[in-house]
Every structure is written in structure tokens, then in C-alpha cells.
Amino acid sequence: MDLMVEVSPRRIFANGHTYHINSISVNSDCETYMSADDLRINLWHLAITDRSFNIVDIKPANMEDLTEVITASEFHPHHCNLFVYSSSKGSLRLCDMRAAALCDKHSKLFEEPEDPSNRSFFSEIISSVSDVKFSHSGRYMLTRDYLTVKVWDLNMEARPIETYQVHDYLRSKLCSLYGNDCIFDKFECAWNGSDSVIMTGAYNNFFRMFDRNTKRDVTLEASRESSKPRAVLKPRRVCVGGKRRRDDISVDSLDFTKKILHTAWHPAENIIAIAATNNLYIFQDKVNSDMH
């Protein structure tokens, strides 16, 4: 008989949220975890399923006064008292649970000042942070907004230390992306095991990698045609007008229904997982293995 894998829940943690949960993060103490929705973050004990402690609550007394929502949150990898959460206004708040039971007052606020010359109708939408990840070292944070990924140093709140353009060629297409709701897509981001390379998804089943040391970047495609066992992925390039090379793809022919929102990197090896629609692709660095 074929092997059948069946999943059954070990524990169900109930009645913790009114809104959709956008992130879950296990603490480094291996005893607690937190769950976040648009307005609240709760702290749970892994052994207690019917009770949680509310550690962040940004719900105003009058919902008409609501100006931002929580978009993602994560515990620090080494300090069990620290966590960060991001907002739809593009800010990051680092909180210390030792300071107070309810962490409504943040320890640090990371926010990049907006350039008035770039202000547009879409500014607030595209600055919303869709994902935040601590580096394995715990020194940096990686954030993803609609057009960029940014690296923040925990010791510098004023601005990110690195900014990488994921698909800047879409800047002129924001109007149509707003019309088809793609502008609200929430892309994730990931660090490699040594914090030297970062990865995030894009449209047309493309995903992007940025090397922090060499500043080189590459666009790769996760598709059934190019993902036969042992096949080597070829770098892809999107062109905006002008001359086109043979393998280039025009920005006007990108498929916005094919999007890579979820990506993950093995904590120790150069193995990545890419979720593209209903397919899961796993790629391995050919330098370390014959399999790709």
C-alpha cells in the first residue's frame, strides 16, 4: 500500500484571537510562544491551552480612530524577553517584556523618514511591512515591504543599514496593481544560515536573492518546466523597454497571478523551500551536492 501521512493535532490553543492570526513565534526559552493578529499579541505557555496573556493591545476605544495594524511579529533568537512587531505604517517596535506586563510602550522604534519627493497616493500602502525576521546572530532585523527588503541594525533606529530593490520596475505599475489588489500582497523574507544572503519572493514565480557581502543579486524562477531533478536554475532578467536580450522577460508580460509569497531557508545548509501557488519547490546549492 502507498504510505499515507495523516496529521492530527496534539493540542488546540483556543479563543485567543478575534481576528486572523498573522504570525506565530516560539520563544528561545522553549516554554512559551506568541501569536499575533491585527490588533493584539498574546503570549502562551506550550503546556497551557486555554489561557494566554495579552502582551500588546493597540485596539483603540473607538475603532474609527484606528490608524495602523500589526502585520508580523517575532521573538529574538537569544533573548527570551525581547520581541519585535511590525506595522502597516512601516514601523518596527522592539519590546522588552521585563519592562511591563503589557508592552504598549516599546523600547525602540525603527522607522525610516519618508522622502517628500517620493510621496504619492500609494506611499502608505507600499511602505507597510509584510514580514520581519531576526538574523540568526540576533544583531539585525530583515523586513519586507512591497518593493524592497531592508536590513536594520538593532543599535540604529533612524534608518536601515541596507536597502535592496526587489522589483523596482513595478513602481510605474502601482496604479494597475492597486486596481487588481496585488498591491496588498504580503511577501515573506528569509536569511541564510550565516546571515550573509537574504531571499524573498516576487511575481511570475520569480524569487530574489541578495548577497550582503558582494552586493550581487540574482532573480530565479520556480516553475515545473525549469525544475526537473538536477536541473540548474538560470538567472532571469526583467527588462523595462529598450533593448531586450533573448531570455529577458518584459515587465508587461509578467504574470501577477503567479506569486511567491512564502520562502524558507534551512538553518544550517544551503537548501531553500519555495511555495509557488500549490507547488512546493526545494532547491539545493549545487556546490554542496549533486542534487539541485
Side-chain angles (χ1 to χ4, degrees):
M1 287 179 65
D2 289 338
L3 176 67
M4 295 289 287
V5 178
E6 203 171 273
V7 179
S8 57
R10 300 267 299 274
R11 298 186 192 112
I12 295 175
F13 296 83
N15 305 322
H17 291 275
T18 311
Y19 307 97
H20 290 298
I21 295 167
N22 57 44
S23 44
I24 288 174
S25 178
V26 178
N27 199 345
S28 59
D29 64 11
C30 296
E31 289 186 355
T32 56
Y33 74 94
M34 69 178 175
S35 56
D37 65 26
D38 283 356
L39 300 177
R40 293 192 176 103
I41 300 176
N42 293 335
L43 181 70
W44 302 78
H45 193 285
L46 286 162
I48 302 169
T49 60
D50 60 350
R51 190 169 70 251
S52 64
F53 295 97
N54 180 228
I55 52 174
V56 172
D57 187 348
I58 65 165
K59 185 178 182 180
N62 182 355
M63 283 295 275
E64 288 180 8
D65 297 332
L66 186 69
T67 58
E68 63 181 334
V69 294
I70 298 165
T71 54
S73 65
E74 192 183 47
F75 269 120
H76 191 279
H78 310 308
H79 301 301
C80 60
N81 52 292
L82 294 178
F83 68 93
V84 67
Y85 69 91
S86 58
S87 88
S88 56
K89 279 195 166 177
S91 60
L92 304 170
R93 290 175 175 86
L94 186 72
C95 301
D96 189 339
M97 291 194 293
R98 295 172 302 186
L102 192 63
C103 299
D104 283 357
K105 290 186 172 66
H106 48 266
S107 301
K108 290 188 176 184
L109 175 66
F110 300 82
E111 205 166 34
E112 187 171 24
E114 189 185 30
D115 182 353
S117 62
N118 288 336
R119 177 115 188 108
S120 73
F121 171 76
F122 306 109
S123 294
E124 196 165 307
I125 302 170
I126 63 173
S127 67
S128 175
V129 175
S130 56
D131 195 20
V132 57
K133 294 273 169 58
F134 278 107
S135 62
H136 295 83
S137 68
R139 171 74 187 271
Y140 305 103
M141 293 181 297
L142 177 65
T143 62
R144 171 71 205 261
D145 57 41
Y146 192 64
L147 294 177
T148 67
V149 280
K150 296 171 180 171
V151 177
W152 301 77
D153 188 321
L154 256 64
N155 299 322
M156 196 170 102
E157 297 167 65
R159 61 183 60 82
I161 57 168
E162 296 161 30
T163 300
Y164 302 94
Q165 300 295 334
V166 177
H167 38 210
D168 202 46
Y169 45 78
L170 295 183
R171 205 173 281 276
S172 61
K173 303 220 167 286
L174 293 178
C175 211
S176 57
L177 291 163
Y178 179 77
N180 62 17
D181 278 351
C182 283
I183 202 168
F184 301 107
D185 286 335
K186 292 173 170 54
F187 293 93
E188 291 177 2
C189 50
W191 296 91
N192 72 336
S194 62
D195 298 335
S196 61
V197 183
I198 53 185
M199 170 175 64
T200 192
Y203 292 107
N204 212 70
N205 279 0
F206 289 168
F207 59 99
R208 304 267 284 134
M209 288 183 175
F210 303 91
D211 189 309
R212 298 179 60 211
N213 298 323
T214 64
K215 302 302 176 192
R216 288 169 59 193
D217 63 87
V218 66
T219 301
L220 300 169
E221 182 180 6
S223 67
R224 290 195 167 195
E225 296 74 41
S226 64
S227 301
K228 296 178 175 67
R230 297 179 187 277
V232 177
L233 292 180
K234 288 181 185 168
R236 302 300 309 268
R237 205 173 80 100
V238 178
C239 72
V240 186
K243 287 184 178 177
R244 258 178 80 181
R245 285 187 241 160
R246 193 164 61 88
D247 291 335
D248 285 0
I249 181 165
S250 164
V251 67
D252 296 316
S253 56
L254 292 172
D255 188 342
F256 292 107
T257 63
K258 294 178 177 176
K259 56 192 94 169
I260 292 174
L261 302 178
H262 309 291
T263 59
W265 207 308
H266 190 284
E269 297 177 46
N270 265 342
I271 301 173
I272 58 171
I274 305 286
T277 323
N278 58 346
N279 298 310
L280 176 66
Y281 298 94
I282 294 179
F283 300 111
Q284 187 161 11
D285 186 357
K286 70 179 190 299
V287 175
N288 299 339
S289 169
D290 292 326
M291 190 193 87
H292 190 87

